[in-house]
Amino acid sequence: MRTDIEDIVRAVSAASDLDDVLEIIVRRVGAFLPIDACRVYLTDVEGGRLVLMGSSGVSPTSAGSARAARHSGLPDLVAERREMVVLADARTHPRYVAPPETGDGRYRAFLGMPLIHFHRVLGVLAAWKAHSPFDRDEVTFFITIAAQLARVIHQAAAVGEVRRLLSGAAPEEGFIQGAQAAAGLAIGTAALVDPLANLESVPDRRSQDVVAEEKAFRAAVTAAQRELQSAGARLTDILPREVRELFDVYSMLLGSEDLVHSTIERIRAGNWAPGAWRDTIAEHARSFDQLDDPYLRARGEDIREIGRRILLHLESDIQAPRLYPERCILVGDSISITEIGGVPLGRLAGIVSRHGSALSHSTILARAIGIPAVVSLPSLPIADLEGRTIAVDGDQGRIFVQPSLAVLDAFERRIGQQAALTERLVALRDLPAETPDGVRVPLHANIGFTSDTEAARSSEAEGVGLYRTEYQFLLRETFPVEDEQYEVYRQLLQAFTPMPVTIRTLDVGGDKILPYFPMEEDNPFLGCRGIRFSLEHPEILMIQLRAMLRANAGLGNLQVLFPMVARIGELDEALELLVRAHRELLDEGQETAMPRTGVMIEIPSAVFLTKALAERVDFVSVGSNDLAQYILAVDRNNEQVATPYDSLHPAVLNAIHKITLDAHERSRRVTVCGELAGDPAGALVLLGMGVDAFSVSPASLSRVKLVIRTFTVEQARTLLETALEKEDELSVHRLLNAALEEAGVLGAGTVS
């Protein structure tokens, strides 16, 4: 049975359009099961009725024409109940209606399964038998196949919706939903990126001339580096230094000794250059794909982009010059920073990518140059979009293909509103984050690399609220030694002195596995991660603590933060190691001073231990991302269970409110450093809680400052009290966004 199901799903997934999908379903299911008729009904979104779209065992002309009234038949009963219906003799059921295409009652047994995707009933898969009832194996097969087909039908329907938009048959305000990657709005003409070489399609081939293959590979690397440098040079004058460095990073990766040497070894082992390069890229990208941390997982996309760029040069030495429209919406399966840099200045208006994430270097570049971007549109038929008008809504993660005049007017209106909002944000740059009733709320920056320093300083951050040291460990082949860590920490502390810099101790485990220190765990997210890993390996933690204390000499702005603490004993042990590192350095005659210390509360048990934890440290930091994940038991990177508003869930807000009250009772300051603090709605509710400082990405700082300067503490507190009474996160989101819109902080609403 499993093989048959896999064959059907594979055939359906390869179908060209929705009609083919439905035809394959009814034909293959009907062939596998001893049934007399198989039908697929799809929900008519506009009319709310089921429409017969595919059938076997009846006249094919009936498909699409049998529009039954709601609640008027067994398929409608299945959709209404959202559950399986099995009947030995359907004719005796009060909801039975003889199929209009036959007009008789020869069908006795009925089996129906709803096709549900993301809580929405897409349709119903139904089967009929004239004589014997359905047995257990047949029912099991039906349950299994229906659950898998819903996803495929959803994707095929999305492709069909785009083509309806292109033909003008869809509703005027129809849009395709993706993921927000870079905020902003744009209207322009779609231009497909040059099709990159397909790494996955490269076959194995024995090399006939190892020297020639190696020479061709090195030449391709050099050509790709020159191309990248040329693209970066065109953007030099409009990018901040830390974003310009992305081109240097890519150029370095293109010539990475690790990538190059691994490929050369494979060539010398007998594989031709494209095959050797394919295997090298696959090996390196896979190590990032296995990580759950979204920033690090996005590095796998970067590796693949590099791989395709080199392969393109391996396969062709000549590239035709490219012409771009005046208002170019760059569209592709994936889009590299080279392709972004290749569009002439002033012409690039927006980016639309079938794949990618908000943390890829391409979208980081898009945000830096103020270009809206929407990604994660797997059903988008990009081949149909060349030359079409596209409106990109980077705020909502939507695109409108061939938009109506009404949509275009709405976009133009919102673009004007956002321009006015941008002027407001620029005017706030040199002003403090202070409420109208005189309460100062320091805004700090979250950073992961020392190259982020300039962005944080230029955003007027009042220090670093979270420096993630794990990136220094994860992007290496070996542990960084004490002197290497010291250099990084010293540079960071000096850049912000005398402002505080909070450096978090190594936070690996779970999704962040050190490539040179693998761990096998059945459930790594509940395993040896964060402070547990560091205490399990105190020799590693001691090196890091010594490096931090040495870097703080003569500066005094270091704050040490311990992550993922679940027990009092864990914090006590970590603090003892810090004291020991301090004593060792003094014994060695080195200048050092004990820094301020903090505990990160991101595990439910720590919420209830806040008072005891706060007594042992100088401040408390709330990691709202992981706290929401553990309280709600959802993987925040899994779109099937997570929502964009999880951090606004009343349970999460109540937990943060309790943390704040308990820490303040012990006279300890509270900082929130998760995504909640960087979201205007989140910042508003945190202000009402009395959170002492926010730590956000540099790009979010000005918008958060606007919230703080717009609302009094009393106004925010009143909204908090109402929010805590809500029963779900969407209600909280609507409450807070309504207040933000009324105050003019959001700048613009949605198009539809």
Side-chain angles (χ1 to χ4, degrees):
M1 180 185 296
R2 178 179 177 182
T3 301
D4 292 289
I5 291 174
E6 290 175 347
D7 288 344
I8 294 174
V9 173
R10 192 177 301 113
V12 167
S13 299
S16 59
D17 56 35
L18 182 58
D19 288 339
D20 285 344
V21 166
L22 300 176
E23 192 276 331
I24 291 171
I25 290 173
V26 296
R27 177 166 47 82
R28 297 290 289 269
V29 172
F32 178 77
L33 294 178
I35 58 180
D36 296 299
C38 180
R39 302 187 178 100
V40 178
Y41 301 82
L42 295 187
T43 303
D44 178 358
V45 177
E46 295 178 21
R49 299 173 297 181
L50 290 182
V51 180
L52 177 60
M53 298 298 296
S55 61
S56 67
V58 296
S59 170
T61 60
S62 64
S65 62
R67 293 178 176 269
R70 202 72 179 130
H71 310 299
S72 64
L74 294 176
D76 292 289
L77 178 66
V78 174
E80 175 190 340
R81 291 183 175 178
R82 302 169 64 94
E83 64 182 2
M84 178 179 64
V85 173
V86 185
L87 300 171
D89 190 347
R91 297 172 301 179
T92 64
H93 195 280
R95 295 288 291 273
Y96 173 77
V97 175
E101 65 273 12
T102 62
D104 58 36
R106 70 171 181 263
Y107 295 138
R108 296 172 61 90
F110 171 81
L111 173 57
M113 274 292 296
L115 301 169
I116 299 176
H117 184 75
F118 284 170
H119 308 288
R120 188 166 74 88
V121 178
L122 304 180
V124 171
L125 180 64
W128 301 78
K129 295 172 75 172
H131 302 292
S132 62
F134 289 94
D135 63 28
R136 185 179 65 180
D137 289 342
E138 292 165 352
V139 171
T140 299
F141 174 88
F142 225 63
I143 294 172
T144 307
I145 194 66
Q148 297 192 48
L149 291 177
R151 175 186 56 83
V152 181
I153 289 175
H154 168 76
Q155 292 180 348
V159 172
E161 180 64 20
V162 175
R163 290 178 174 149
R164 288 181 67 210
L165 290 169
L166 293 174
S167 68
E172 282 195 352
E173 295 185 348
F175 60 84
I176 303 106
Q177 185 68 53
Q180 189 269 354
L185 303 166
I187 302 169
T189 303
L192 303 189
V193 299
D194 291 329
L196 291 174
N198 185 358
L199 280 163
E200 290 75 18
S201 68
V202 173
D204 281 322
R205 184 179 298 170
R206 296 295 298 175
S207 173
Q208 301 300 315
D209 187 337
V210 171
V211 174
E213 293 290 338
E214 183 175 334
K215 182 179 179 181
F217 171 67
R218 292 188 183 277
V221 171
T222 300
Q225 286 177 313
R226 287 175 182 157
E227 179 184 52
L228 187 65
Q229 290 162 359
S230 176
R234 284 194 288 272
L235 297 173
T236 296
D237 295 336
I238 64 173
L239 293 178
R241 183 183 62 82
E242 74 279 356
V243 179
R244 292 199 305 270
E245 287 178 353
L246 287 179
F247 289 89
D248 296 332
V249 169
Y250 262 61
S251 184
M252 179 185 66
L253 287 173
L254 282 167
S256 163
E257 288 298 309
D258 196 17
L259 291 176
V260 171
H261 284 169
S262 296
T263 304
I264 295 300
E265 288 177 2
R266 288 183 166 96
I267 291 174
R268 292 175 179 174
N271 204 351
W272 68 321
W277 181 240
R278 175 206 63 203
D279 290 344
T280 297
I281 291 298
E283 177 185 7
H284 283 75
R286 200 160 41 237
S287 65
F288 287 100
D289 292 342
Q290 295 169 353
L291 304 175
D292 196 47
D293 181 278
Y295 184 89
L296 294 173
R297 194 171 61 244
R299 303 289 69 78
E301 300 170 22
D302 298 334
I303 294 293
R304 288 189 177 88
E305 285 179 3
I306 288 168
R308 290 189 290 266
R309 182 57 52 185
I310 294 288
L311 188 57
L312 190 65
H313 284 280
L314 275 172
E315 293 182 341
S316 174
D317 295 328
I318 301 174
Q319 295 188 45
R322 182 71 194 278
L323 298 177
Y324 295 94
E326 288 294 329
R327 296 285 296 167
C328 172
I329 305 296
L330 203 57
V331 180
D333 276 321
S334 62
I335 296 175
S336 70
I337 65 172
T338 306
E339 288 155 345
I340 294 173
V343 181
L345 286 177
R347 292 203 171 195
L348 184 61
I351 293 170
V352 174
S353 178
R354 289 185 67 205
H355 306 298
S357 78
L359 294 173
S360 71
H361 280 152
S362 299
T363 52
I364 290 172
L365 178 58
R367 289 193 292 272
I369 59 180
I371 300 298
V374 176
V375 300
S376 190
L377 297 150
S379 302
L380 189 67
I382 59 175
D384 298 337
L385 300 182
E386 180 75 39
R388 303 284 189 166
T389 299
I390 293 182
V392 180
D393 184 345
D395 298 334
Q396 303 294 320
R398 298 172 177 175
I399 67 169
F400 296 75
V401 181
Q402 294 294 101
S404 66
L405 288 176
V407 169
L408 291 174
D409 287 344
F411 259 76
E412 295 290 358
R413 185 170 59 254
R414 290 178 61 203
I415 288 171
Q417 291 172 334
Q418 291 204 344
L421 177 61
T422 298
E423 290 182 9
R424 291 180 65 189
L425 296 179
V426 171
L428 294 179
R429 187 179 184 278
D430 297 322
L431 297 176
E434 183 175 307
T435 65
D437 50 347
V439 177
R440 280 291 301 270
V441 183
L443 298 182
H444 300 148
N446 293 336
I447 61 177
F449 299 94
T450 52
S451 59
D452 297 332
T453 299
E454 186 172 319
R457 292 298 303 270
S458 63
S459 69
E460 295 296 300
E462 300 173 64
V464 175
L466 175 63
Y467 177 67
R468 301 177 175 94
T469 61
E470 59 266 23
Y471 296 152
Q472 185 186 5
F473 286 75
L474 287 162
L475 301 179
R476 293 174 52 92
E477 298 298 323
T478 58
F479 278 111
V481 298
E482 183 178 319
D483 284 345
E484 290 174 317
Q485 293 186 53
Y486 162 79
E487 292 292 340
V488 172
Y489 304 149
R490 183 71 178 180
Q491 179 182 347
L492 182 64
L493 292 168
Q494 286 177 327
F496 285 92
T497 187
M499 294 183 288
V501 175
T502 302
I503 301 181
R504 184 172 68 185
T505 61
L506 184 60
D507 185 14
V508 294
D511 57 307
K512 296 175 285 190
I513 304 300
L514 298 174
Y516 45 86
F517 201 98
M519 295 184 293
E520 296 292 334
E521 295 182 294
D522 291 335
N523 192 338
F525 288 96
L526 301 180
C528 189
R529 62 172 304 195
I531 198 66
R532 296 174 185 172
F533 176 87
S534 295
L535 296 179
E536 183 74 18
H537 301 281
E539 71 283 5
I540 297 172
L541 179 57
M542 282 295 292
I543 291 173
Q544 185 174 38
L545 293 175
R546 284 173 55 92
M548 290 181 189
L549 294 175
R550 285 175 55 199
N552 192 40
L555 299 176
N557 59 333
L558 169 67
Q559 298 188 151
V560 177
L561 180 63
F562 297 105
M564 300 298 295
V565 172
R567 295 178 172 85
I568 298 297
E570 292 171 343
L571 180 59
D572 287 341
E573 190 174 348
L575 290 170
E576 287 173 7
L577 290 173
L578 179 63
V579 170
R580 179 176 140 198
H582 174 247
R583 187 168 54 246
E584 285 181 3
L585 291 172
L586 289 177
D587 291 344
E588 294 169 12
Q590 298 199 48
E591 180 185 356
T592 183
M594 280 293 289
R596 285 168 51 83
T597 58
V599 61
M600 202 162 191
I601 297 186
E602 48 196 331
I603 295 177
S605 64
V607 174
F608 300 98
L609 297 173
T610 298
K611 292 180 182 179
L613 293 169
E615 289 175 348
R616 290 162 165 79
V617 293
D618 300 297
F619 66 96
V620 168
S621 182
V622 180
S624 63
N625 298 347
D626 273 318
L627 183 61
Q629 179 170 250
Y630 284 117
I631 286 179
L632 301 178
V634 298
D635 175 358
R636 53 193 166 96
N637 296 308
N638 184 337
E639 62 181 7
Q640 289 186 284
V641 295
T643 79
Y645 316 119
D646 280 345
S647 292
L648 290 172
H649 191 289
V652 178
L653 296 183
N654 273 286
I656 298 175
H657 193 210
K658 174 178 171 53
I659 294 167
T660 305
L661 293 174
D662 288 352
H664 285 171
E665 187 177 318
R666 293 297 187 266
S667 300
R668 298 296 187 267
R669 292 175 60 81
V670 177
T671 298
V672 175
C673 60
E675 292 176 9
L676 181 65
D679 174 67
L684 179 53
V685 76
L686 294 176
L687 180 64
M689 292 182 191
V691 168
D692 300 290
F694 298 173
S695 189
V696 303
S697 69
S700 301
L701 195 141
S702 60
R703 186 68 64 91
V704 173
K705 184 186 290 186
L706 177 59
V707 173
I708 293 170
R709 292 186 60 86
T710 301
F711 291 87
T712 66
V713 171
E714 187 58 37
Q715 288 173 318
R717 189 176 295 126
T718 299
L719 285 167
L720 168 68
E721 291 171 356
T722 304
L724 294 178
E725 294 174 355
K726 299 294 183 181
E727 296 182 346
D728 60 83
E729 62 271 38
L730 190 56
S731 298
V732 175
H733 171 75
R734 288 170 177 161
L735 167 74
L736 299 174
N737 268 27
L740 292 166
E741 287 186 11
E742 184 178 352
V745 172
L746 291 186
T750 61
V751 170
S752 59

